Amino acid sequence: MAAARGANAAAAVTATEPAANCPLCPRLAAFRQESRERQPGWFNAPVPSFGSADAALLIVGLAPGLQGANRTGRPFTGDYAGDLLYATLIDYGFARGEYKARPDDGLTLVDCRISNAVRCVPPQNKPLPAEINTCRQFLSGVFGAMPRLRAVVLLGRIAHDTTIKAVGLRASQAPFGHGAVHQAGTLKLYDSYHCSRYNTNTGVLTPKMFGDVFAKVRADLDAGK
């Protein structure tokens, strides 16, 4: 039986994306199934990365929101965090089109890709440490599949901490702080507070603070061309 479970888990894994019925985190799989039963028309599966693997910029978020990406199937689509993120990406030339909070709105990313530290929606938007650790293999796969990657924006502490581990840095080498920039080999890592409604409503993160992070990324990428 143990061997069979191991084979099933292995079958759920690709280099960069978990399968629709990924069993690797039992609590998240159960929560995902509950959502499927309540809302069968929603996406209700691990949310894949959005954007070309040939991009120079990767944005790493926390996890899908229940009524955001878990519903729509596209990262940061359908909740407030997406409103601020996509507007900022358009402002700095990392996206084009009009964001209408749905995956068929025609918005496209420009030299940019978006992924999450945890691919399945967690209860109360709070993944457990074991779930973050388990899902890191997919984040590492994303890094390995992006040959032109030069810049990574980390949205919040969890995205920061798991990315630091994925790229082989020690926590002491790259402490989290909004606006901080860290070097990891050929990559630059840019920290930002997460663009959640809570952070913006409380003033922890303003649109200008968020835009300043992407202005720095744009300037650095343009300088390296």
Side-chain angles (χ1 to χ4, degrees), residues 132-156:
I132 298 167
N133 291 340
T134 296
C135 214
R136 190 177 303 118
Q137 63 186 290
F138 302 111
L139 182 61
S140 295
V142 168
F143 277 96
M146 297 183 68
R148 294 183 56 251
L149 184 62
R150 293 167 51 203
V152 187
V153 173
L154 310 175
L155 301 181

Side-chain angles (χ1 to χ4, degrees), residues 5 85 123 165 215:
R5 285 196 297 271
L85 175 62
K165 293 177 181 178

Side-chain angles (χ1 to χ4, degrees), residues 44-111:
N44 293 320
V47 175
S49 304
F50 174 39
S52 172
D54 196 43
L57 169 63
L58 175 67
I59 299 165
V60 181
L62 169 56
L66 179 61
Q67 298 186 53
N70 178 68
R71 175 175 60 86
T72 64
R74 190 175 76 180
F76 289 91
T77 299
D79 54 23
Y80 175 80
D83 293 347
L84 179 55
L85 175 62
Y86 286 115
T88 304
L89 293 180
I90 290 170
D91 284 346
Y92 289 94
F94 293 113
R96 68 167 64 97
E98 184 178 356
Y99 172 69
K100 298 180 180 178
R102 60 176 198 267
D104 63 348
D105 56 15
L107 181 137
T108 58
L109 298 182
V110 180
D111 209 18

